[in-house]
Amino acid sequence: MSRRDRERLTLLYDAQCNLCLATVAKLRTLRTNAELAMVPLQTASPDMLPANVSMEELLKELHVVEEDGTVYRGAEAIVRIVRTIPALSWLAPLYGLPGLRRLAQVLYRLVARHRYRLFGRQDESCSNGLCLLHSGKTEGLTTNKDSKDKGDSS
């Protein structure tokens, strides 16, 4: 299947959620049969968001949007992604077994509701690199002093 023939899915996720960030990071390392556009809700342009879904609703759970506008949310969104990953696609049909769909939805909502407490939350200052300064992970960051030392007048 050529890259051009691959389906395109947009994943809309909460960029302040450590679990969401870890999930997106892992997805970037996996081979998939789809082009996955992973879009943080906090920086998504309005045209990337599904119609008739409020930001409040989008932030409650992961959303996956197909090219035709079909929207999957929560556990269904996870299963939709899993279907595109050859190494995991065998798990997707299990979602259809009696009782498992409901159980997956309940568990997803429970984890989603408590995700910040369970996995932590990114500080909003992380978007500009300040959290890295406090964590000691400053490799690749430049300061105004560094810029001036290199002759940059900004």
Side-chain angles (χ1 to χ4, degrees), residues 20 25 32 44 47 54 56 59 68 85 96 99 112 128 137 149 152:
C20 306
T32 68
D47 62 313
S54 70
E56 181 181 343
L59 284 167
D68 68 2
I85 303 168
N128 64 14
K137 299 176 185 172
D149 290 346
D152 186 1

Side-chain angles (χ1 to χ4, degrees), residues 2-108:
S2 75
R3 180 162 220 190
R4 182 177 253 170
D5 296 333
R6 294 170 58 184
E7 67 179 328
R8 291 174 187 86
L9 301 176
T10 302
L11 284 69
L12 300 168
Y13 68 95
D14 177 1
Q16 291 184 335
C17 163
N18 285 340
L19 175 61
C20 306
L21 291 170
T23 300
V24 166
K26 183 61 178 176
L27 283 172
R28 290 184 196 283
T29 69
L30 297 174
R31 187 172 67 83
T32 68
N33 292 329
E35 286 185 42
L36 303 178
M38 298 174 212
V39 179
L41 286 165
Q42 288 81 354
T43 59
S45 62
D47 62 313
M48 298 176 102
L49 304 177
N52 303 317
V53 182
S54 70
M55 184 58 79
E56 181 181 343
E57 287 299 310
L58 289 168
L59 284 167
K60 283 183 182 178
E61 54 193 353
L62 174 72
H63 285 68
V64 172
V65 183
E66 292 182 340
E67 286 180 279
D68 68 2
T70 302
V71 179
Y72 300 85
R73 57 182 74 202
E76 284 189 341
I78 297 293
V79 172
R80 183 64 184 92
I81 295 165
V82 165
R83 285 181 24 210
T84 71
I85 303 168
L88 300 175
S89 62
W90 64 271
L91 291 169
L94 298 176
Y95 188 67
L97 293 176
L100 284 186
R101 178 182 306 263
R102 181 73 182 133
L103 177 63
Q105 291 170 341
V106 167
L107 289 174
Y108 183 94

Side-chain angles (χ1 to χ4, degrees), residues 105-123:
Q105 291 170 341
V106 167
L107 289 174
Y108 183 94
R109 287 187 189 124
L110 181 67
V111 170
R113 189 175 304 120
H114 300 287
R115 68 188 184 267
Y116 298 134
R117 190 172 347 154
L118 294 170
F119 301 97
R121 180 182 187 134
Q122 289 292 312
D123 184 340

